[in-house]
Amino acid sequence: MGMFDYVRSSYYFDEDFKGQCQTKDIEDGIGGTMSQYWINPDGQLCLIDYSHTADFVELKEGDEGYDEKRGWLNFQWVPNGNHGKIRAISLTKYVVIYPENWKGEWEDWPECRIHFKNGIVQDYETLTKGRQ
């Protein structure tokens, strides 16, 4: 099974790829780190970086949300007002994406094989798992 990355696209591939998709192909060797990517309308692959947008706050006894039964798990992430950043990624390779929530048969599960050169979509091909 393993981890994957999320991909959203404003670049039109096909109806099946309009929502949230997943891939294990962007980060070599590890399959994915649950990172968020976006393909803009011009076909540029971008990384969405949410780091430093929330602070880790430990809850003390008497704080709202504190639960004695949770022990060391008494903490929460609190938004700090910083916004995420979107930055272009210069990637040259083939990446396969697939819809996050496919409801059909495995053989019909759509995949889109995208060719990126310097982070820009060059071409793509849509297939199903049963037609590879």
Side-chain angles (χ1 to χ4, degrees):
M1 187 89 179
M3 295 195 327
F4 50 83
D5 295 313
Y6 293 102
V7 178
R8 285 198 166 272
S9 181
S10 297
Y11 186 92
Y12 184 80
F13 294 111
D14 191 291
E15 287 298 311
D16 291 323
F17 307 98
K18 286 177 74 172
Q20 180 126 304
C21 293
Q22 296 177 352
T23 185
K24 294 184 177 193
D25 294 339
I26 293 176
E27 299 174 24
D28 287 330
I30 58 175
T33 57
M34 307 293 282
S35 297
Q36 305 268 338
Y37 292 92
W38 172 56
I39 303 171
N40 75 16
D42 296 326
Q44 173 68 57
L45 180 64
C46 301
L47 173 67
I48 302 173
D49 182 2
Y50 291 107
S51 59
H52 307 292
T53 60
D55 295 324
F56 177 82
V57 176
E58 183 179 355
L59 299 174
K60 306 277 189 223
E61 192 171 342
D63 289 344
E64 183 179 337
Y66 179 84
D67 182 354
E68 185 176 320
K69 295 176 188 168
R70 294 188 68 197
W72 62 273
L73 293 173
N74 278 292
F75 67 87
Q76 63 186 14
W77 289 100
V78 178
N80 60 22
N82 291 333
H83 298 285
K85 297 178 178 138
I86 297 175
R87 59 186 163 93
I89 300 294
S90 181
L91 180 77
T92 300
K93 69 186 296 188
Y94 286 91
V95 173
V96 175
I97 65 171
Y98 45 89
E100 178 179 48
N101 294 313
W102 177 248
K103 302 278 190 243
E105 297 294 323
W106 181 86
E107 295 83 13
D108 300 327
W109 191 357
E111 293 185 336
C112 184
R113 185 173 186 250
I114 308 166
H115 178 209
F116 288 101
K117 184 175 181 184
N118 297 320
I120 306 287
V121 173
Q122 300 300 300
D123 62 355
Y124 66 92
E125 175 182 28
T126 57
L127 301 165
T128 60
K129 291 226 181 253
R131 281 194 2 219
Q132 293 185 23

